[in-house]
Amino acid sequence: MTQLRPFSDHRRGLFVSIDGPSGAGKSTIVAHLSQLLVAEGEHVYTTAEPSNGVLGKIAREMTETVTGAALACLYSADRYHHLETEIQPHLDAGEVVLCDRYVPSALVMQRFDGVDPVFLWSLNALADRPDLAVVLEGAPELIAARLAERGAHNRFQLTPRSSHAEAHFYRQACDRLIQAGYDVLRIDVGTGNAHQIAVTIKNRLMEFFAVSNELPPKAAAW
Ligand SMILES: Nc1ncnc2c1ncn2[C@@H]1O[C@H](COP(=O)(O)OP(=O)(O)O)[C@@H](O)[C@H]1O
Ligand SMILES: Cc1cn([C@H]2C[C@H](O)[C@@H](COP(=O)(O)OP(=O)(O)O)O2)c(=O)[nH]c1=O
C-alpha cells in the first residue's frame, strides 16, 4: 500500500475515510464494509462528518445560511474536534475507524461557494492523513439519478448539475491529496452493487492487516 502511514503502528488501529459525490453510496457502502470487517474479527467504529458533536451539529444547521470561507471554517473546526475527541481515541484503542466524509469532502463541497482550493487545503492541512482514503466515483448521470431518488439533503445537492460539478471537483481534490501523500483508492460505483464495492475495499484493507501482522524479524543474537 502506501509508504506514508501516520498510523503505521499496528496498536493504533486503522483510519479509513470514504468520500464521493452525494448519492454515490458512501453511507450504504460503509455499512456493508463495517459488517465485512467485523466478520473478519476486526473491531470497527463507524463515524461521519459533519460529526454528531456540538460543532458538527452547528456546521450542518448553518449550511443553509452561512456560506464560503466561514462555512469552510465551521466544517474544519468540527473535523479537528472530531479527530481529537472521537477518531484518535478509537484508533488508540486499536480499532478500525470508518469515517463517512472527511477532508476530501471539504476540498469539494466548499467549492460550490467558490472558496479558493488553496485556502481549503491550508484549513485542512493539519488533519490526520487516513491510512486509506476511499473516493467513490461514477458517471454523473448515474449519481444524479440516485440522488434524485434519495432526495437532496441541502442546498449544495439542489444546485443544478451538482453531480457533474462534484465529479469535476473530486478529480482535482484527488490530485491534491495524492500530492500530499494520501493513499487514495478510487472506485467506480457503476461497477457493482454496494456489497461488491465494500468487498473491494475490504480486500485492500486485508492486505494492510496481512502486512502489519507479520512478525518482526528476530533480533540478532549477541
Ligand atoms: N452500488 C450501488 N448500486 C446501486 N444503488 C446504490 C449503490 N450504493 C448506494 N445505492 C443507493 O443509492 C442511494 C444513495 O446512497 P447513500 O448511501 O445514501 O449515498 P451517499 O451516502 O453517498 O450520499 C441509496 O438509495 C442507496 O440505496
Ligand atoms: C464533511 C463535510 C460535509 N459537507 C456537507 C456535504 C453534505 O452536503 C453534508 C452532509 O450531509 P449528509 O446528509 O450527511 O451527506 P450525504 O448527502 O452524503 O448523505 O455536509 C461539507 O460541505 N463540507 C465538509 O467538510
Side-chain angles (χ1 to χ4, degrees):
M1 286 166 67
T2 189
Q3 307 81 357
L4 296 159
R5 189 182 303 290
F7 301 117
S8 56
D9 183 342
H10 183 54
R11 287 165 299 173
R12 292 205 63 201
L14 196 70
F15 180 22
V16 182
S17 59
I18 295 99
D19 289 84
S22 310
K26 296 178 292 298
S27 313
T28 314
I29 289 165
V30 164
H32 282 271
L33 180 59
S34 171
Q35 282 179 6
L36 289 169
L37 290 169
V38 167
E40 294 285 345
E42 299 298 335
H43 294 278
V44 180
Y45 181 76
T46 60
T47 185
E49 291 190 354
S51 76
N52 276 328
V54 63
L55 295 175
K57 285 181 183 147
I58 292 173
R60 193 182 285 280
E61 270 172 38
M62 290 293 120
T63 295
E64 299 307 305
T65 43
V66 176
T67 62
L71 186 62
C73 291
L74 283 180
Y75 276 109
S76 60
D78 174 47
R79 179 160 304 115
Y80 288 112
H81 188 64
H82 186 211
L83 274 164
E84 194 181 322
T85 58
E86 215 176 314
I87 296 175
Q88 286 162 354
H90 283 278
L91 290 170
D92 288 343
E95 296 173 24
V96 180
V97 175
L98 303 179
C99 189
D100 181 344
R101 290 191 182 271
Y102 188 61
V103 171
S105 286
L107 300 183
V108 168
M109 301 311 286
Q110 273 51 71
R111 294 197 60 194
F112 278 91
D113 285 342
V115 184
D116 177 1
V118 175
F119 174 72
L120 291 174
W121 176 253
S122 2
L123 258 187
N124 287 282
L126 297 182
D128 292 343
R129 191 175 47 211
D131 292 293
L132 184 66
V134 178
V135 175
L136 305 179
E137 299 176 321
E141 295 74 16
L142 168 79
I143 291 179
R146 282 193 200 160
L147 183 59
E149 201 181 329
R150 187 203 70 183
H153 289 171
N154 61 29
R155 67 185 170 89
F156 299 132
Q157 299 170 359
L158 287 168
T159 308
R161 290 175 65 81
S162 68
S163 303
H164 291 73
E166 281 186 85
H168 172 68
F169 293 147
Y170 266 109
R171 278 193 292 276
Q172 295 186 342
C174 282
D175 290 344
R176 184 68 191 86
L177 294 165
I178 291 166
Q179 213 185 342
Y182 270 57
D183 189 358
V184 178
L185 174 62
R186 300 166 82 155
I187 302 185
D188 184 341
V189 294
T191 58
N193 61 32
H195 177 77
Q196 290 163 333
I197 290 163
V199 169
T200 303
I201 303 169
K202 187 211 77 172
N203 288 342
R204 177 72 178 263
L205 294 175
M206 295 319 286
E207 286 172 29
F208 170 84
F209 292 122
V211 170
S212 63
N213 282 331
E214 274 171 16
L215 290 173
K218 271 191 181 162
W222 289 94

